Amino acid sequence: MNFVEELKWRGMLHNIMPGTEEQLQKEMTTAYLGIDPTADSLHIGHLVGVMILKHFQAAGHKPIALVGGATGMIGDPSMKSQERNLLDESTLAKNQAGIKKQLERFLDFKSDAPNAAVMVNNYDWMKDFSFLSFIRDIGKHITVNYMMAKDSVKKRLSSDSREGMSFTEFSYQLVQGYDFLYLNEHYNCKLQLGGSDQWGNITTGTELIRRKNNGEAFAMTCPLLTKADGTKFGKTEGGNVWLDPEKTSPYKFYQFWLNTSDEDAARYIKIFTMLSKEEIAELEEQQSADPSQRVIQKKLAEQITIMVHGEESLNTSISASQLLFGKGTTEQLQAMDEKTILSVFEGVERFDIPGSCVISGIPVAELLTAVAPVYPSKGDLRRNIAGLQINKKKIENPEAIVDSSFLLQNKYILIQKGKKNYFLLTVK
């Protein structure tokens, strides 16, 4: 597989330094991509870079994932309007452990293949570097004029902010440049990958390698992803879409991809899956023939959910979707764990009910009027009982008894009133 050609047709290539493609065709090449460790989980904004590493390894090359333990203590000024909060060592260590676990779902770290992935932490080589040693051995090779010419620096210096730019942030590109130099010297790393906003920092690294060691180094970046409407990719009303199932449930993760627009889905299917050009072309034909079936969105959501959470979580998410939109079964509902139930029915009206009423048993008409006012009166319930379901089972008798056997996960009862009105009863 030609890595550069692969990225081109997938829309994942922005800038490439001359000679990079020739280097990749000449031999197995080692490349690294830096990952910001400001949280203990990746979010979907990181996935473009992670997928580039995945394609890089699939093309027979060796990927290095660099978790920026040292640079995370500084904060990258690129495209930012304010300086970041600095992280302490214990927080960084926790974040790195969480990130590595997630990366293992995408990259082969464990095999004995020559191109097995490696994870490194730049704190390991920066922590004992004295300030005097750094400015003497590294700083002398890059001029202030060169650093000032970077867009990220110029943007901050020309902004209206009174705070300006700290020396800490100004030095960031030199620290990142040293990462590339270190990996070049110790891992024979010749290429740095990153987002287009990183071009200035990456080329500082190639320049440092050239000036200090007269070495050869290359750079390649991918475009920063936005949605078709111009808004930022990966952000929802609730914030980031995380890979950690504790932060974003697999159901919500699946729904995010399922609900993308046709225009966005057509781009995302190329970026966030390993499907071939031919497979994607076939999906595009099907989508064009019948857009209402949303085959691209379904395949995209399926593929990326399996990659991040596994097939079992995908099946649970599909079952949950079917429940919400009227096709699910009682058995699917009973098989669902508590987090999925709460995730699927987030936002529906909820009523707390005393445990005593389900222990002794209570008629449906009394439960859904006097205890949990789903219906305004027993008469209204009787008139509309044809549309009533409890835990996805139709209820025909208003005097039927609801007891503890109805409880989902020992504490919930799902009420459906008509086609779209759901209520969740919680035993307290």
Side-chain angles (χ1 to χ4, degrees), residues 3-47:
F3 176 65
V4 175
E5 290 302 317
E6 187 76 11
L7 293 196
K8 279 181 182 175
W9 80 258
R10 289 183 182 275
M12 298 171 77
L13 185 63
H14 188 265
N15 282 333
I16 182 167
M17 189 173 280
T20 303
E21 190 165 7
E22 290 79 2
Q23 167 62 32
L24 294 173
Q25 289 173 341
K26 182 174 71 174
E27 61 187 358
M28 183 186 83
T29 302
T30 300
Y32 94 92
L33 181 133
I35 295 172
D36 175 16
T38 49
D40 60 359
S41 170
L42 301 172
H43 54 73
I44 60 173
H46 292 106
L47 278 181

Side-chain angles (χ1 to χ4, degrees), residues 286-305:
Q286 293 174 26
Q287 185 96 336
S288 179
D290 187 357
S292 67
Q293 292 300 309
R294 297 172 66 81
V295 293
I296 291 181
Q297 283 93 335
K298 287 175 183 175
K299 184 58 106 174
L300 169 66
E302 170 197 297
Q303 293 283 303
I304 193 66
T305 303

Side-chain angles (χ1 to χ4, degrees), residues 288-356:
S288 179
D290 187 357
S292 67
Q293 292 300 309
R294 297 172 66 81
V295 293
I296 291 181
Q297 283 93 335
K298 287 175 183 175
K299 184 58 106 174
L300 169 66
E302 170 197 297
Q303 293 283 303
I304 193 66
T305 303
I306 288 175
M307 249 192 296
V308 173
H309 295 297
E311 200 154 352
E312 188 177 335
S313 290
L314 169 69
N315 293 334
T316 302
S317 299
I318 291 172
S319 295
S321 298
Q322 290 171 341
L323 277 170
L324 195 58
F325 299 109
K327 298 176 184 176
T329 65
T330 304
E331 290 70 30
Q332 286 176 321
L333 184 59
Q334 290 170 334
M336 217 173 271
D337 61 38
E338 182 176 5
K339 283 180 184 171
T340 306
I341 291 171
L342 293 177
S343 182
V344 174
F345 297 103
E346 181 183 24
V348 308
E349 192 168 357
R350 295 173 65 169
F351 296 105
D352 292 340
I353 62 172
S356 56

Side-chain angles (χ1 to χ4, degrees), residues 258-275:
L258 198 62
N259 290 326
T260 53
S261 69
D262 289 354
E263 191 176 346
D264 286 332
R267 289 185 301 138
Y268 296 169
I269 193 85
K270 296 173 183 175
I271 296 170
F272 298 110
T273 77
M274 298 297 285
L275 296 174

